[in-house]
Amino acid sequence: MIYNIPYIAVVALILIGLYAVIFKRNLIKIVIGITLIESGVNLFLITLAFRKDSVAPIYRGSGSPLMSLPVPHALTLTSIVIGVAVLALMLSLVVHIYRHYGTLDSRKIGGEEE
Amino acid sequence: MNIIDELIFHSPALIVAIPLLGAFLTPLISKINDKLRNGFVIFIVLLTSAIVLLLANDIYSVCGKIHTYVFGGTQTITEGGFAIRILFEVDGLNIFMALIATILAIAGVIYSWAFMKENTGLDKYYTLYLLMIAGMFGMILTGDMFNFFVFLEISSIASCALIAFWTNKGKAVDAGFKYIVISATGALFILFAVAILYGQYNALNMAVLASKIQFSFLDKIALVLLISGLAMKAGIVPMHMWLPDAYGRAPSSVTLILIGVTQASLYGALRMIFTVYGGNLTNTLNQIGDINIDLNLLLGIFIVGLSLLTIFIGVLMALKENNFKRMIAFAAVAEIGYMILAIGSALTTAFSTTDTTTGVMALKGGIFHILNDALDVGLLFLVAGAVYYATKETSLNSLGGLARNMKYTTIFFLIGLLAVSGMPPMNGFASKLIIYQSTYQVNPILAIVAILCSILLLAVFVKVFHSAFLGPKLPKFDEVKEVPKSMLLAMGIIAVIIIFIGLFPDLVLNNIVQPAVNALTDHTNYISNVIGGIQP
């Protein structure tokens, strides 16, 4: 049971993130929602790598026969880097939107006549 | 081994590496001279195209040949039977998509010369443009699930920044934000699915996954996540709301590549359904109560339902739209509907033993339509961009009588109009006819809806043609001149290819589309090419 708790946290994070993306009207909250989904997925990858009693795959002489899988760690690092890029881009767009419309409410954006 | 063989051997890596390297050299070169930069960008794109053509020639020379390129080694499987290397696997379908991407990239860069000339920040524009092309090629050529995700994100970050390129317009930034929200969510869904698959089978390689897949409950969840994530990127109806905004607000030259990125996502969906899950869709029964339904039938019916919705909503929204580019964007939504209609119909029958021809036929129509749609809708967007360039107007209400001043643009619009609504002798007719024929055998209602919506599409574009190009000369457009030669050249390239395919559809069908269809239906070939004779 104790080993299932991370998976429950993963699902909870993803669902909270999806809720924020779909139902929130403030653009910053939408950005936070996407970051939450991303954290959930990253946590899932890290959890996959872990085995009971395993050590990090860099310690050779620790005596433990089990090592956690290194591949998901590499995937998570890549995913974090990509996530930072997406986050920065989204926030810069939010800044531009705020300059144009003076609001972050998604209902009041983009409705003007050309 | 001479230089050409060497080039062909390394070509899958070069096709991605050259635009990527070129992208980061562009800002340096534009410090020297603007003309030099434009020349450099077209040189990079032409070089990439030449390598794509070499690779295509190599793939098509032997029937069913698959070119596998392993990064950092020669063997696909390392000692001990682990498939941990990243590899690019190019078969008939990959090279087909790469050819489409090549045409779009060349036309887009040539068009950008004049179209974007008056803008500032062009060094960044071309950098992002080449990054987008590199991401698109990467998505198309890769044989690794995680790699697919990475290239998807590269292309979506670059394209988002380009959609919002005109940051002085609030709506463009708004469209960019919508696009990045949808594509980031979709990409994370895909990553989640990749993680689920990795957790079970310890592999990221598509071919190895396809050979190991068991179709457990978790695999079904992964399939749903993959398809919904890719459908978000492809703009299938419940998730289509970003598409008209993004296509409509982006500069026309960017929209052209954006079409390519959308279709690369569609290619991803095809690859996941037919190759990764292909072997198990048939013999997996899904029990609902007491009734057993084949899973491919269930999936097929679901996709056909979505596609009918996509076609309907796309066409109806196009009918009431007043903005030139947004209207074409809704027509593009409808066109995507045609492709997934064919794919869904193929799924319902492709694996059945009693009726083998219908499914293959539908798949042929759908894949052929991917090429035709990219060309037709791309040409229309270029024309819309040309009209905007000449008049600075986007609303159809204030346009009129342009045929008198812009005769070449008018002719190109007429070609695109006939092609997109499926009139002979243009290319749209050839692929749509195959789709009608094959879907009629699945269910006549599908074909009827498809034909009806095609006619409505013609009505939409005839209305636009009338209101923008025909009619009396408007005094405010007296000064309007024909657009510069490079824009005409880009439109001309696409128009010539459209007419060529329209006149000789058999040539294209037999030589290019058929290998792609074979690659999809024969997934054992794809698997055995990587893991060889070794059984897992």
Side-chain angles (χ1 to χ4, degrees):
Chain A
M1 177 59 205
I2 190 93
Y3 290 104
N4 283 336
I5 287 176
Y7 294 111
I8 296 168
V10 165
V11 173
L13 274 174
I14 291 178
L15 287 183
I16 294 170
L18 270 182
Y19 172 80
V21 171
I22 296 170
F23 292 107
K24 287 292 166 189
R25 297 220 164 85
N26 188 317
L27 297 187
I28 294 287
K29 286 182 183 166
I30 293 177
V31 174
I32 293 173
I34 287 181
T35 323
L36 278 177
I37 301 177
E38 195 203 315
S39 319
V41 175
N42 286 343
L43 181 63
F44 183 56
L45 277 167
I46 286 291
T47 317
L48 284 180
F50 186 73
R51 298 282 180 274
K52 196 182 173 188
D53 295 330
S54 64
V55 295
I58 47 170
Y59 298 125
R60 280 189 152 182
S62 66
S64 170
L66 277 174
M67 286 181 182
S68 52
L69 272 175
V71 176
H73 294 172
L75 302 189
T76 314
L77 273 181
T78 318
S79 154
I80 287 172
V81 172
I82 291 173
V84 170
V86 172
L87 182 64
L89 189 59
M90 279 196 292
L91 287 177
S92 70
L93 287 177
V94 171
V95 170
H96 272 292
I97 288 175
Y98 189 76
R99 279 197 197 137
H100 273 285
Y101 297 100
T103 174
L104 288 176
D105 190 336
S106 60
R107 283 168 297 186
K108 292 174 187 154
I109 289 168
E112 84 272 17
E113 288 293 311
E114 282 166 89
Chain B
M1 220 182 338
N2 64 16
I3 184 91
I4 295 290
D5 286 340
E6 194 87 23
L7 207 60
I8 289 173
F9 179 73
H10 291 289
S11 55
L14 287 176
I15 290 170
V16 180
I18 290 176
L20 204 61
L21 193 70
F24 293 110
L25 282 178
T26 310
L28 289 178
I29 288 177
S30 60
K31 289 274 180 220
I32 306 169
N33 189 331
D34 278 3
K35 281 233 168 65
L36 187 67
R37 177 200 57 211
N38 289 355
F40 175 72
V41 173
I42 189 73
F43 168 73
I44 290 285
V45 171
L46 284 179
L47 189 62
T48 317
S49 320
I51 297 175
V52 170
L53 286 180
L54 269 180
L55 182 61
N57 189 27
D58 184 49
I59 298 271
Y60 291 137
S61 63
V62 184
C63 183
K65 180 171 179 179
I66 297 179
H67 186 106
T68 310
Y69 184 80
V70 187
F71 283 85
T74 50
Q75 293 298 311
T76 51
I77 310 278
T78 53
E79 277 175 52
F82 295 109
I84 53 165
R85 293 206 193 283
I86 292 174
L87 51 86
F88 277 13
E89 197 168 0
V90 188
D91 66 2
L93 183 64
N94 297 84
I95 200 71
F96 175 76
M97 296 301 298
L99 286 174
I100 297 176
T102 311
I103 299 171
L104 294 180
I106 294 179
V109 170
I110 295 176
Y111 191 84
S112 300
W113 282 350
F115 186 70
M116 300 302 289
K117 208 159 107 193
E118 291 154 16
N119 293 278
T120 53
L122 280 185
D123 48 342
K124 287 144 200 135
Y125 170 84
Y126 280 113
T127 306
L128 288 168
Y129 208 77
L130 285 177
L131 268 181
M132 207 166 155
I133 291 171
M136 179 166 64
F137 275 121
M139 271 169 85
I140 289 167
L141 295 180
T142 186
D144 186 279
M145 297 288 265
F146 189 72
N147 226 247
F148 184 79
F149 162 77
V150 172
F151 281 118
L152 188 102
E153 284 282 27
I154 291 178
S155 66
S156 65
I157 289 172
S159 47
C160 164
L162 280 178
I163 288 167
F165 187 73
W166 286 331
T167 43
N168 56 335
K169 294 179 185 165
K171 283 194 171 185
V173 184
D174 179 38
F177 187 75
K178 266 184 194 165
Y179 179 72
I180 193 78
V181 168
I182 289 287
S183 71
T185 317
L188 287 172
F189 275 18
I190 293 167
L191 181 62
F192 193 44
V194 171
I196 291 176
L197 291 177
Y198 182 80
Q200 291 187 85
Y201 304 113
N202 232 347
L204 289 168
N205 189 300
M206 287 181 194
V208 176
L209 270 179
S211 70
K212 284 186 178 172
I213 211 151
Q214 300 293 322
F215 229 91
S216 62
F217 179 66
L218 276 175
D219 289 345
K220 285 180 195 166
I221 294 178
L223 179 65
V224 169
L225 284 171
L226 277 174
I227 291 182
S228 51
L230 287 166
M232 278 184 199
K233 291 273 300 172
I236 294 167
V237 143
M239 288 83 87
H240 74 294
M241 54 52 165
W242 63 270
L243 198 143
D245 281 332
Y247 278 24
R249 305 294 168 199
S252 275
S253 47
V254 174
T255 312
L256 197 64
I257 309 292
L258 208 54
I259 294 170
V261 173
T262 313
Q263 285 175 342
S265 318
L266 207 62
Y267 150 78
L270 275 173
R271 181 61 84 201
M272 301 305 163
I273 295 172
F274 283 94
T275 305
V276 178
Y277 283 83
N280 288 69
L281 279 177
T282 36
N283 43 32
T284 313
L285 295 174
N286 211 20
Q287 207 159 23
I288 301 174
D290 292 336
I291 314 158
N292 286 324
I293 305 177
D294 277 339
L295 203 81
N296 65 330
L297 194 66
L298 197 70
L299 195 64
I301 290 171
F302 184 70
I303 292 181
V304 164
L306 278 185
S307 73
L308 289 183
L309 213 61
T310 311
I311 297 177
F312 253 127
I313 290 182
V315 169
L316 293 182
M317 292 299 284
L319 267 176
K320 67 170 270 292
E321 191 58 53
N322 254 333
N323 182 307
F324 199 170
K325 280 187 74 182
R326 274 176 68 87
M327 198 212 67
I328 302 172
F330 276 116
V333 173
E335 290 286 295
I336 290 168
Y338 280 98
M339 286 170 239
I340 58 169
L341 173 65
I343 294 167
S345 319
L347 261 180
T348 56
T349 54
F351 296 111
S352 82
T353 43
T354 48
D355 179 15
T356 49
T357 50
T358 312
V360 173
M361 182 102 144
L363 212 51
K364 211 187 216 174
I367 290 176
F368 194 15
H369 202 62
I370 293 179
L371 168 66
N372 292 341
D373 163 77
L375 296 174
D376 304 348
V377 178
L379 180 62
L380 287 175
F381 272 117
L382 292 189
V383 170
V387 168
Y388 173 76
Y389 181 86
T391 63
K392 301 290 173 216
E393 286 283 353
T394 52
S395 171
L396 286 172
N397 292 339
S398 45
L399 289 169
L402 289 174
R404 284 157 222 277
N405 291 340
M406 303 170 70
K407 47 181 184 293
Y408 293 113
T409 313
T410 312
I411 292 169
F412 290 138
F413 186 76
L414 200 58
I415 292 172
L417 176 163
L418 292 175
V420 86
S421 46
M423 300 294 276
M426 301 303 169
N427 62 355
F429 173 71
S431 57
K432 277 190 177 174
L433 190 67
I434 302 176
I435 294 178
Y436 300 152
Q437 274 181 348
S438 53
T439 49
Y440 187 85
Q441 278 159 5
V442 176
N443 194 335
I445 297 170
L446 300 181
I448 292 168
V449 171
I451 295 175
L452 199 67
C453 287
S454 203
I455 295 169
L456 278 175
L457 215 53
L458 183 66
V460 171
F461 282 108
V462 167
K463 184 189 89 177
V464 179
F465 186 63
H466 181 78
S467 67
F469 292 98
L470 302 183
K473 197 170 186 170
L474 295 182
K476 64 178 171 178
F477 292 141
D478 271 349
E479 300 296 308
V480 167
K481 281 197 285 290
E482 185 59 271
V483 290
K485 284 202 182 62
S486 84
M487 287 162 77
L488 287 179
L489 176 64
M491 290 189 270
I493 291 172
I494 297 188
V496 165
I497 299 174
I498 284 178
I499 294 175
F500 176 78
I501 298 176
L503 291 180
F504 307 102
D506 269 3
L507 209 63
V508 179
L509 263 178
N510 295 336
N511 292 324
I512 300 180
V513 178
Q514 191 61 49
V517 175
N518 291 346
L520 269 190
T521 47
D522 181 18
H523 72 282
T524 46
N525 191 11
Y526 189 87
I527 296 168
S528 63
N529 205 281
V530 169
I531 55 175
I534 312 160
Q535 284 306 310

